[in-house]
Amino acid sequence: MIAYLPVLYEDELVYSWFARYFAHMYPSYANALEDLMENRNTRTDFEFINHLDAGAKETIAKIIPMEDLIMGHTMFPSYRFIEHGRLSNALESMANSEEDVHRLLPVSKNRTSEQVHYIKYCPLCATEAKEIYGEAYWTRQVNIRNIDICTKHKCKLKNTNIRISGKQSARLYIAEEEINDTVPELVEDGLELHLAEYITDVFQSPIYMDNTVKIGEFLNSKLEGTNYLSARGKMRNVSLLFHDFMDFYKELPIQGDGINASI
């Protein structure tokens, strides 16, 4: 039974919040999982919320509405462009701790070595958090997939050794214990920074759940008057668009499978 939850920090992932609960309350993460999840073997999802204990859900709802928690403290905004009904169903299911959200959203399965993702952090964000709150924590912004720069500090992100995977164990990794290297590598300017800023801005923008405009219609509206859309707006030249996109970003270190995954 949860009697206390720590303060939820700005842009903090729910996973991080739960990990700090474990750090503040228990010597074993298994005990914390018994309080938070349906059972102690439930895998704690780094990016989303899944299968909460009924008592934990009730306690959380007194602190923050579940929909606000999902919108502001999970990676749900990364999937804003999927079909409207599917997005609404995923939000409702996550809010009610029903079906695994990975079955409802097109989440990467990390099936190849090129697609492996690890928990990331910004050294300057970690240092700043320690100065303000007395502890580091895992944030959403720096864990947007295919971004390697913190746009707040213009600092290169660092990988932990913690893999984000559907096969990861039911464990809570505490940022304060896992973040060891806080030596910053600053980025002055360049295409990679501009791309990171654009993706971050999109991620942080509001999601209008009542918007039923299809992504194809939106894309066509942006391609009007270009070589990527026919004069009548009926056909998209996707091959040319992809070729020019890849050529424009060819100097980026994530060019190839990484940049391809973010299209």
Side-chain angles (χ1 to χ4, degrees):
M1 182 69 174
I2 296 178
Y4 151 87
L5 275 172
V7 173
L8 183 60
Y9 297 141
E10 180 183 1
D11 198 48
E12 181 174 21
L13 280 158
V14 172
Y15 176 95
S16 174
W17 192 29
F18 289 170
R20 290 192 300 108
Y21 170 72
F22 150 51
H24 293 188
M25 296 294 291
Y26 289 108
S28 167
Y29 60 81
N31 296 120
L33 290 174
E34 286 184 344
D35 285 352
L36 296 165
M37 315 305 291
E38 285 181 343
N39 65 72
R40 65 192 301 170
N41 295 318
T42 300
R43 184 179 64 84
T44 47
D45 197 312
F46 181 75
E47 297 179 297
F48 302 105
I49 305 172
N50 61 326
H51 304 298
L52 292 178
D53 173 80
K57 185 179 174 183
E58 183 179 344
T59 300
I60 290 169
K62 294 176 182 177
I63 298 171
I64 180 172
M66 191 60 66
E67 185 170 319
D68 291 349
L69 185 68
I70 294 167
M71 292 292 193
H73 296 276
T74 76
M75 302 308 293
F76 185 82
S78 293
Y79 301 90
R80 65 180 64 233
F81 296 117
I82 69 170
E83 188 269 327
H84 172 261
R86 190 178 177 188
L87 188 67
S88 298
N89 290 340
L91 178 61
E92 181 179 356
S93 182
M94 202 188 310
N96 294 324
S97 294
E98 295 172 346
E99 187 175 356
D100 186 347
V101 71
H102 291 80
R103 298 178 182 274
L104 302 172
L105 295 175
V107 181
S108 170
K109 301 298 188 298
N110 298 337
R111 291 175 178 170
T112 68
S113 58
E114 291 83 7
Q115 294 175 322
V116 172
H117 299 285
Y118 295 89
I119 296 178
K120 297 178 288 187
Y121 67 94
C122 165
L124 293 180
C125 283
T127 299
E128 187 177 86
K130 290 182 180 183
E131 292 174 350
I132 297 174
Y133 304 114
E135 60 183 342
Y137 62 96
W138 306 121
T139 64
R140 297 189 311 158
Q141 179 181 323
V142 302
N143 280 288
I144 301 171
R145 298 200 181 196
N146 301 315
I147 285 184
D148 292 315
I149 299 174
C150 169
T151 57
K152 178 180 179 181
H153 294 108
K154 297 184 179 181
C155 178
K156 280 280 189 179
L157 301 179
K158 296 181 183 290
N159 279 340
T160 64
N161 293 319
I162 308 166
R163 182 172 176 173
I164 301 174
S165 168
K167 297 181 180 180
Q168 68 191 49
S169 63
R171 180 169 180 177
L172 294 164
Y173 291 94
I174 305 164
E176 186 66 19
E177 295 182 355
E178 300 294 335
I179 294 175
N180 299 310
D181 181 5
T182 56
V183 178
E185 180 185 345
L186 299 181
V187 179
E188 293 297 328
D189 200 358
L191 191 58
E192 186 178 8
L193 174 59
H194 292 312
L195 178 61
E197 289 174 336
Y198 172 75
I199 295 175
T200 302
D201 285 346
V202 171
F203 179 88
Q204 293 177 332
S205 64
I207 300 177
Y208 301 102
M209 295 300 297
D210 58 348
N211 180 17
T212 58
V213 176
K214 296 180 179 179
I215 185 61
E217 296 173 7
F218 176 78
L219 178 60
N220 282 359
S221 73
K222 298 300 179 181
L223 297 180
E224 287 181 0
T226 72
N227 293 330
Y228 309 120
L229 188 69
S230 66
R232 295 184 179 181
K234 299 293 185 180
M235 297 287 293
R236 287 194 296 267
N237 190 340
V238 177
S239 296
L240 179 61
L241 176 61
F242 178 80
H243 176 272
D244 289 352
F245 183 93
M246 296 296 286
D247 184 63
F248 184 82
Y249 287 110
K250 63 185 177 183
E251 302 300 326
L252 292 188
I254 60 172
Q255 195 270 352
D257 289 331
I259 209 64
N260 188 18
S262 42
I263 296 178

